Amino acid sequence: MKKSFFILVFMTVFLLSCKKEETIPTSGTETIDNSLFGTTVYYAIGFNFATALKVSSNQTPKPDLILELGATIDEFILQTGAGLNGFYLKGEYADAASALQAFSNLTTFSVSRWEEWANPVKPNQVWIYRSAEEHYAKIRIISTSSQDLDPRDYGECTFEWVYQPDGSLTFPDK
């Protein structure tokens, strides 16, 4: 009986001490918006590919993508928290099916000139993003929407993404 008790305690401690490592996703669908938070120091919530999470613009790691509205309520801009030229428009497509096909077929790439922002961002576009660590993501813009609000107009963008975490110019299969 005493031996069974010690085995049971040992197994319980052993099982509780084993941590299951969570795998960080390398693809998914996300929606971000241009809301600002804070009172004296303002911050936005963006998306970070390496962590596959929405993160604040005032924390580390910074978001890779932050959504802004341009001069009009219908002008959407993606900026990077990394502060580098990190966007390339791979293509604009007539419909969602064509954009999805181009996105799925994009397995490797070559970019000669990176832009500071993704601008203008519209549904059925495919963008390539470059991080400060020279890792890449492909992004398919699914939808954008906006509302004329006071004191700040509201916008949101939904996108599909695939992140390449190994520094190569080849995207992993989904």
Side-chain angles (χ1 to χ4, degrees):
M1 179 73 170
K2 203 175 194 183
K3 186 177 181 180
S4 297
F5 175 75
F6 285 115
I7 291 173
L8 180 62
V9 168
F10 174 76
M11 290 301 291
T12 302
V13 169
F14 177 75
L15 291 174
L16 291 175
S17 67
C18 293
K19 291 184 179 178
K20 181 181 176 184
E21 285 192 35
E22 283 191 39
T23 303
I24 297 174
T26 57
S27 64
T29 301
E30 194 61 61
T31 300
I32 58 174
D33 64 53
N34 71 324
S35 298
L36 290 179
F37 303 93
T39 53
T40 56
V41 176
Y42 293 98
Y43 63 93
I45 302 296
F47 186 75
N48 181 280
F49 292 111
T51 62
L53 296 171
K54 287 184 179 181
V55 297
S56 167
S57 61
N58 66 358
Q59 73 182 57
T60 302
K62 294 209 175 296
D64 292 310
L65 302 180
I66 298 170
L67 182 67
E68 291 289 335
L69 290 180
T72 67
I73 193 170
D74 295 328
E75 182 183 1
F76 296 87
I77 302 168
L78 290 176
Q79 298 178 336
T80 177
L84 76 151
N85 291 353
F87 294 97
Y88 176 75
L89 179 59
K90 183 65 177 165
E92 296 186 69
Y93 303 92
D95 54 48
S98 300
L100 178 58
Q101 184 68 41
F103 180 79
S104 299
N105 290 342
L106 179 57
T107 58
T108 189
F109 61 94
S110 173
V111 174
S112 58
R113 184 165 185 250
W114 295 94
E115 299 296 328
E116 184 176 3
W117 304 315
N119 180 22
V121 170
K122 300 175 185 175
N124 304 322
Q125 290 178 327
V126 175
W127 290 87
I128 298 174
Y129 169 77
R130 172 181 67 164
S131 74
E133 295 79 25
E134 296 286 326
H135 292 193
Y136 303 92
K138 62 179 180 177
I139 304 163
R140 178 177 67 96
I141 307 299
I142 297 171
S143 65
T144 58
S145 65
S146 60
Q147 292 179 322
D148 188 6
L149 299 176
D150 187 32
R152 179 174 163 89
D153 294 334
Y154 173 82
E156 69 179 30
C157 177
T158 301
F159 57 93
E160 180 179 11
W161 59 276
V162 175
Y163 178 63
Q164 167 280 93
D166 65 6
S168 72
L169 300 178
T170 303
F171 292 109
D173 290 333
K174 288 178 63 175

